[in-house]
Short mmCIF file of all heavy atoms in Angstrom, two decimals:
data_model
loop_
_atom_site.label_atom_id
_atom_site.label_comp_id
_atom_site.label_asym_id
_atom_site.label_seq_id
_atom_site.Cartn_x
_atom_site.Cartn_y
_atom_site.Cartn_z
N VAL A 191 7.24 -5.91 11.94
CA VAL A 191 8.31 -6.65 12.61
C VAL A 191 7.75 -7.51 13.65
O VAL A 191 8.34 -8.72 14.06
CB VAL A 191 9.42 -5.97 13.18
CG1 VAL A 191 10.19 -5.20 12.05
CG2 VAL A 191 8.97 -4.91 14.21
N MET A 195 9.03 -11.22 14.52
CA MET A 195 9.77 -11.48 15.73
C MET A 195 8.84 -11.96 17.02
O MET A 195 9.42 -12.50 17.82
CB MET A 195 10.55 -10.29 16.22
CG MET A 195 11.51 -9.60 15.20
SD MET A 195 11.94 -7.96 15.63
CE MET A 195 12.66 -8.18 17.24
N ALA A 232 7.25 -4.60 5.94
CA ALA A 232 7.06 -4.76 7.44
C ALA A 232 7.68 -3.62 8.15
O ALA A 232 8.98 -3.67 8.26
CB ALA A 232 7.74 -6.11 7.85
N PRO A 233 7.09 -2.63 8.67
CA PRO A 233 7.55 -1.52 9.38
C PRO A 233 8.01 -1.97 10.71
O PRO A 233 7.51 -2.91 11.24
CB PRO A 233 6.36 -0.53 9.57
CG PRO A 233 5.50 -0.96 8.44
CD PRO A 233 5.53 -2.44 8.28
N GLY A 234 8.92 -1.18 11.25
CA GLY A 234 9.29 -1.25 12.59
C GLY A 234 8.62 -0.30 13.43
O GLY A 234 7.38 -0.13 13.28
N PHE A 235 9.31 0.46 14.26
CA PHE A 235 8.77 1.45 15.32
C PHE A 235 8.64 2.78 14.33
O PHE A 235 9.57 3.43 14.06
CB PHE A 235 9.66 1.69 16.36
CG PHE A 235 8.99 2.51 17.57
CD1 PHE A 235 8.55 1.81 18.66
CD2 PHE A 235 8.77 3.79 17.34
CE1 PHE A 235 7.91 2.56 19.65
CE2 PHE A 235 8.09 4.56 18.38
CZ PHE A 235 7.73 3.95 19.52
N ILE A 236 7.38 3.12 13.98
CA ILE A 236 7.07 4.28 13.15
C ILE A 236 6.37 5.29 13.93
O ILE A 236 5.35 4.91 14.78
CB ILE A 236 6.30 3.85 12.00
CG1 ILE A 236 6.98 2.71 11.16
CG2 ILE A 236 6.06 5.08 10.99
CD1 ILE A 236 8.43 3.01 10.72
N MET A 252 13.26 1.25 23.59
CA MET A 252 13.15 0.80 22.29
C MET A 252 14.27 1.36 21.55
O MET A 252 15.00 0.68 20.55
CB MET A 252 11.87 1.00 21.67
CG MET A 252 11.65 0.59 20.21
SD MET A 252 11.54 -1.26 20.15
CE MET A 252 10.03 -1.52 20.98
N LEU A 253 14.56 2.62 21.64
CA LEU A 253 15.43 3.46 20.81
C LEU A 253 16.88 2.83 20.74
O LEU A 253 17.48 2.74 19.59
CB LEU A 253 15.51 4.86 21.23
CG LEU A 253 16.21 5.88 20.24
CD1 LEU A 253 15.64 5.80 18.86
CD2 LEU A 253 16.24 7.14 20.87
N PRO A 254 17.50 2.35 21.84
CA PRO A 254 18.81 1.89 21.70
C PRO A 254 18.96 0.54 20.90
O PRO A 254 19.95 0.13 20.59
CB PRO A 254 19.30 1.67 23.18
CG PRO A 254 18.33 2.63 23.90
CD PRO A 254 17.11 2.58 23.14
N GLN A 255 17.67 -0.16 20.68
CA GLN A 255 17.74 -1.45 19.98
C GLN A 255 17.73 -1.23 18.49
O GLN A 255 17.86 -2.14 17.77
CB GLN A 255 16.49 -2.13 20.42
CG GLN A 255 16.53 -2.54 21.90
CD GLN A 255 15.22 -3.29 22.37
OE1 GLN A 255 14.74 -4.20 21.52
NE2 GLN A 255 14.60 -2.94 23.40
N ILE A 256 17.45 0.08 18.13
CA ILE A 256 17.49 0.50 16.65
C ILE A 256 18.85 0.87 16.22
O ILE A 256 19.26 1.90 16.59
CB ILE A 256 16.29 1.47 16.29
CG1 ILE A 256 15.07 0.97 16.88
CG2 ILE A 256 16.35 1.85 14.87
CD1 ILE A 256 13.86 2.02 16.79
N PRO A 257 19.49 0.16 15.37
CA PRO A 257 20.87 0.66 14.96
C PRO A 257 20.93 2.03 14.35
O PRO A 257 21.89 2.76 14.52
CB PRO A 257 21.26 -0.39 13.85
CG PRO A 257 20.48 -1.57 14.26
CD PRO A 257 19.28 -1.14 14.79
N LEU A 258 19.86 2.49 13.55
CA LEU A 258 19.96 3.90 13.17
C LEU A 258 19.65 4.89 14.11
O LEU A 258 19.71 6.08 13.95
CB LEU A 258 18.90 3.93 11.99
CG LEU A 258 19.32 3.16 10.75
CD1 LEU A 258 18.28 3.55 9.52
CD2 LEU A 258 20.67 3.56 10.21
N ARG A 259 19.23 4.44 15.32
CA ARG A 259 19.11 5.40 16.45
C ARG A 259 17.88 6.40 16.31
O ARG A 259 18.07 7.55 16.70
CB ARG A 259 20.32 6.09 16.89
CG ARG A 259 21.40 5.12 17.39
CD ARG A 259 21.02 4.42 18.69
NE ARG A 259 22.09 3.67 19.36
CZ ARG A 259 22.25 2.41 19.04
NH1 ARG A 259 21.45 1.69 18.23
NH2 ARG A 259 23.27 1.65 19.67
N ARG A 260 17.03 6.00 15.56
CA ARG A 260 15.84 6.93 15.36
C ARG A 260 14.57 6.09 15.01
O ARG A 260 14.76 4.87 14.51
CB ARG A 260 16.06 7.93 14.29
CG ARG A 260 15.98 7.44 12.76
CD ARG A 260 16.02 8.51 11.85
NE ARG A 260 15.97 8.03 10.38
CZ ARG A 260 14.96 7.78 9.59
NH1 ARG A 260 13.69 7.92 10.17
NH2 ARG A 260 14.97 7.36 8.43
N PHE A 261 13.48 6.63 15.33
CA PHE A 261 12.16 6.01 14.97
C PHE A 261 11.82 6.32 13.49
O PHE A 261 12.23 7.37 13.01
CB PHE A 261 11.09 6.47 15.87
CG PHE A 261 11.37 6.09 17.27
CD1 PHE A 261 11.13 7.00 18.31
CD2 PHE A 261 11.73 4.72 17.68
CE1 PHE A 261 11.26 6.72 19.59
CE2 PHE A 261 11.92 4.49 19.02
CZ PHE A 261 11.72 5.45 19.96
N GLY A 262 11.19 5.43 12.78
CA GLY A 262 10.78 5.71 11.36
C GLY A 262 9.65 6.79 11.26
O GLY A 262 9.10 6.99 12.26
N VAL A 288 11.63 -5.47 5.06
CA VAL A 288 11.65 -4.96 6.44
C VAL A 288 12.17 -3.43 6.49
O VAL A 288 13.34 -3.26 6.09
CB VAL A 288 12.41 -5.94 7.44
CG1 VAL A 288 12.52 -5.35 8.85
CG2 VAL A 288 11.97 -7.36 7.21
N VAL A 289 11.36 -2.64 7.04
CA VAL A 289 11.77 -1.14 6.98
C VAL A 289 11.73 -0.84 8.57
O VAL A 289 10.67 -0.41 9.04
CB VAL A 289 10.76 -0.36 6.24
CG1 VAL A 289 11.42 1.12 6.11
CG2 VAL A 289 10.66 -0.94 4.85
N ASP A 290 12.89 -1.03 9.35
CA ASP A 290 12.73 -1.03 10.68
C ASP A 290 14.15 -0.29 11.24
O ASP A 290 14.20 -0.37 12.55
CB ASP A 290 12.54 -2.28 11.42
CG ASP A 290 13.67 -3.34 11.21
OD1 ASP A 290 14.62 -2.90 10.39
OD2 ASP A 290 13.71 -4.40 11.86
N GLY A 291 14.96 0.21 10.49
CA GLY A 291 16.10 0.83 11.00
C GLY A 291 17.05 -0.24 11.52
O GLY A 291 18.02 0.18 12.19
N GLY A 292 16.86 -1.48 11.22
CA GLY A 292 17.72 -2.44 11.68
C GLY A 292 17.32 -3.24 12.90
O GLY A 292 18.01 -4.08 13.54
N LEU A 293 16.09 -2.96 13.38
CA LEU A 293 15.59 -3.40 14.71
C LEU A 293 15.58 -5.00 14.68
O LEU A 293 15.99 -5.62 15.69
CB LEU A 293 14.19 -3.00 15.00
CG LEU A 293 13.49 -3.46 16.17
CD1 LEU A 293 14.19 -3.08 17.54
CD2 LEU A 293 12.05 -2.87 16.33
N ALA A 294 15.16 -5.58 13.62
CA ALA A 294 14.94 -7.10 13.57
C ALA A 294 16.14 -7.80 13.13
O ALA A 294 16.11 -8.97 12.91
CB ALA A 294 13.71 -7.34 12.71
N ALA A 295 17.25 -7.03 12.88
CA ALA A 295 18.50 -7.71 12.29
C ALA A 295 19.03 -8.73 13.36
O ALA A 295 18.96 -8.48 14.58
CB ALA A 295 19.52 -6.66 12.05
#
Side-chain angles (χ1 to χ4, degrees):
V191 292
M195 303 167 55
F235 194 107
I236 308 299
M252 184 70 67
L253 190 58
Q255 301 178 42
I256 302 173
L258 290 184
R259 295 297 188 268
R260 71 172 179 88
F261 300 132
V288 181
V289 189
D290 66 349
L293 175 63

